[in-house]
Amino acid sequence: MHFTRTLLIAILTLACSNIQAATLIHNIAGYHTTSDGLESFEALVFDDGKVLATGKLADLREKFPEANVRDAGGRTLLPGLIDAHGHVLALGRLRQELDVRDLSLEQTLGATKTFAKDKAANEWVLGRGWNQVLWSGKQFPTKTALDKLDIPNPVWLRRVDGHAGWANSAALRLAGIDRETENPEGGEIIKDRLGEPSGILIDNAMLLLERAIPQAGLQQDKASLKAAFKSALSLGLTGIHDAGVDSNTLQAYRELAAEGAIPLRIYPMIAIEDENLTTLLKAGPIGAPDQRLYVRSIKLSADGALGSRGAALLAPYQDKPDERGLLLHPEDEILSLLRLATEHDFQVNVHAIGDRANHIVLNHLYTLHKDNNQKPYRHRVEHAQVMLKSDIPRFPSLGLIASMQPTHATSDKNMAGDRLGEERLEGAYAWRTFLDQGTKIAGGSDFPVEPANPLFGLHAAVTRQDRADTPQGGWRPEQAMTLTEALRAFTLDAAYASHQENLIGNLEPGKFADFILLEKNIFAIAPEDIWQVEVAETWVEGERVYTKAD
């Protein structure tokens, strides 16, 4: 009996000794946003993955005398940043593909030739990132330019926005696209004066070609997702809303979740085009708000993008008066798909860039709201990029979130005026107008359309400048955010957009200890330098998951 009692005491003593004490991080400049605005603090205490307190160092030392103390070396501590609109699989795949972002036409062709040298005879040469707006003449390229490289492989390069693609003749042949191929609904095969495909496919026409590309397997998709996770953590992202995933990607996510291999928070939106959509909706949400994988929304694209002239406009493009862009689904079909999702209690996140697409989407959401109060769903308009000024005030009445990407404005500034004219810019990239009426903005990047670095987004939101400090004073600077508003868009309001604001988004007691340490204080430096600040550490649930190499 005495031996048993002694053994029990020893076991309990050992167990207690293995209970990790709370951690107190100090020597920081800490910031987060709350319902009262920006709040600063000197120290953070967390235990078992949850925040216990923030505040003054002396107070927290007294309150938590047993805490393990960690000196952060004067770094800046922020809540983990959340990208409310990115494409995770595409980011991971880009590591294995050709990235031609910011290259000239000549540089793009040279890079393609070099990249193709390591490919097997019939292997596809895949890449992304070209932008004809940056080239002399600003004209779409043609298959002829790729054919002159004498690459025997099929070549397919997506435009930077992902809404157009550039193919060589070999790729067009494999896809069976020729002068007789008709434009699909919501897409365009651009043809030359002789009626031959030029090599440029817009929006839904891209699907005609991409069905000929061998699909990656499940294990390859999982590897690509893991590569994207690693990159995201190094940039200070602890959460991503994945804007449109199919059944295969969803299965990869589920397997990674079951393996405990998702190191940050992922909120995937089910792609409305998925052939298993109805089955997925009937099955209901996946996971829960406190889990690393949480699925309860869909993604529908109403139109294309401005750069490829696929954004659906009410009036013609100023620089191409015979075009008004494309709706990717008929109007009545958009309403039917939105209704299907809401009938199964899913949030709807609708890509709408042009003023016509936004107007139609708002009309449909109003129709749904009349039938049944939609505000609890927190429906989102992804991009909300070019709006009628009279449509912007409809967001509060419908309880909508504007899911916007600040770097889009600074990337599009040299093209938007050409496409729209000055008058229609009044309702474009209008962050200040949305914020002043009380609409929440969920900040994102749309990576890999734009770089995934959220500090680039904070910088663009505040300065309305690109990373070369142009234009001086900012592009349409009256629509800029304050740094506090920008931080909130990438933290608390992004969390609100995924129904997770009670768990993440700031560092209030009881929330997950998701935070980052920055090398410089973004509230103390010149706004134009924010994009250069580096992430020193990233923590998720009180566990350090990234440390910058010295």
Side-chain angles (χ1 to χ4, degrees), residues 32 41 59 123 144-145 177 200 221 245 345 387 414 431 468 496 512 516:
H32 65 175
F41 48 90
D59 294 342
E123 189 176 357
T144 304
I177 298 173
I200 297 296
D221 282 350
V245 303
D345 291 326
M387 306 281 300
N414 297 323
W431 314 326
Y496 179 88
F512 285 116
I516 61 174

Side-chain angles (χ1 to χ4, degrees), residues 203-226:
D203 287 315
N204 286 350
M206 299 166 66
L207 302 176
L208 300 178
L209 186 137
E210 290 178 345
R211 65 190 181 191
I213 301 173
Q215 296 301 300
L218 180 62
Q219 295 308 314
Q220 187 175 345
D221 282 350
K222 288 168 69 174
S224 294
L225 292 174
K226 285 182 176 181

